[in-house]
Amino acid sequence: MVADGLRVLFCGINPGLMSAATGQHFARPGNRFWPVLHLSGFTPRLLKPAEQHELPSYGLGITNVVARATARADELAAEEYVEGGRLLTEKVTRWRPKWLAVVGVTAYRAAFDDRAARVGPQERTIGDTRVWVLPNPSGLNAHWTKATMAEEFARLREAAEA
């Protein structure tokens, strides 16, 4: 779900087993990505994972740091993150989105060797593409509620619209 010149390219960690089985990003029912995307104002209605093909019409795209599916992201090796960061950099250089939004601070830190990264806008750019780290919407991430995640996603939306 990538196209040239998107406002925001969202980047998940890697496909979960349900996403791999369906070919749909953030497909697990407990994942909060799609509700938070809507609550933050990126989409005018709540999209289902099966409607991910509509994202480019909103100037949005979606990809992953690592292509290999796992039940949990902690099953990924450090080398997979590093290689994923390299491939993601190539993808961003090719497609030139205004913003790259990595969904998961731990994945961002591992993929880009930035141990000090926090949720929010980053100093790093990839060409002209700015980088924002968002909280992981997995149901396993209890530190963030739908409401607090939607606030952070909305901050990115406002920056992307500026």
Side-chain angles (χ1 to χ4, degrees), residues 22-155:
T22 62
Q24 301 163 358
H25 292 269
F26 300 104
R28 188 174 178 87
N31 194 290
R32 299 169 291 180
F33 177 80
W34 298 102
V36 167
L37 196 66
H38 173 61
L39 288 170
S40 65
F42 271 111
T43 59
R45 66 179 180 83
L46 175 59
L47 298 176
K48 297 176 182 145
E51 297 174 305
Q52 67 184 9
H53 63 277
E54 293 184 28
L55 288 175
S57 70
Y58 302 116
L60 308 174
I62 194 166
T63 190
N64 289 301
V65 174
V66 176
R68 184 170 72 91
T70 60
R72 295 174 52 109
D74 61 8
E75 297 174 38
L76 298 172
E79 298 79 22
E80 289 177 282
Y81 282 108
V82 171
E83 177 64 6
R86 186 188 69 73
L87 293 172
L88 181 58
T89 298
E90 289 178 5
K91 197 177 293 186
V92 168
T93 300
R94 177 179 178 201
W95 295 105
R96 302 181 320 256
K98 184 174 181 179
W99 286 91
L100 170 65
V102 179
V103 181
V105 69
T106 302
Y108 176 81
R109 288 173 181 161
F112 292 98
D113 193 28
D114 185 351
R115 302 293 179 241
R118 301 280 183 258
V119 168
Q122 306 301 304
E123 292 293 322
R124 173 186 309 274
T125 60
I126 301 172
D128 291 334
T129 300
R130 301 277 320 272
V131 179
W132 197 292
V133 175
L134 292 167
N136 185 343
S138 166
L140 299 174
N141 182 4
H143 299 291
W144 290 80
T145 66
K146 270 190 205 176
T148 58
M149 277 191 277
E151 289 172 10
E152 189 61 32
F153 275 57
R155 287 181 58 219

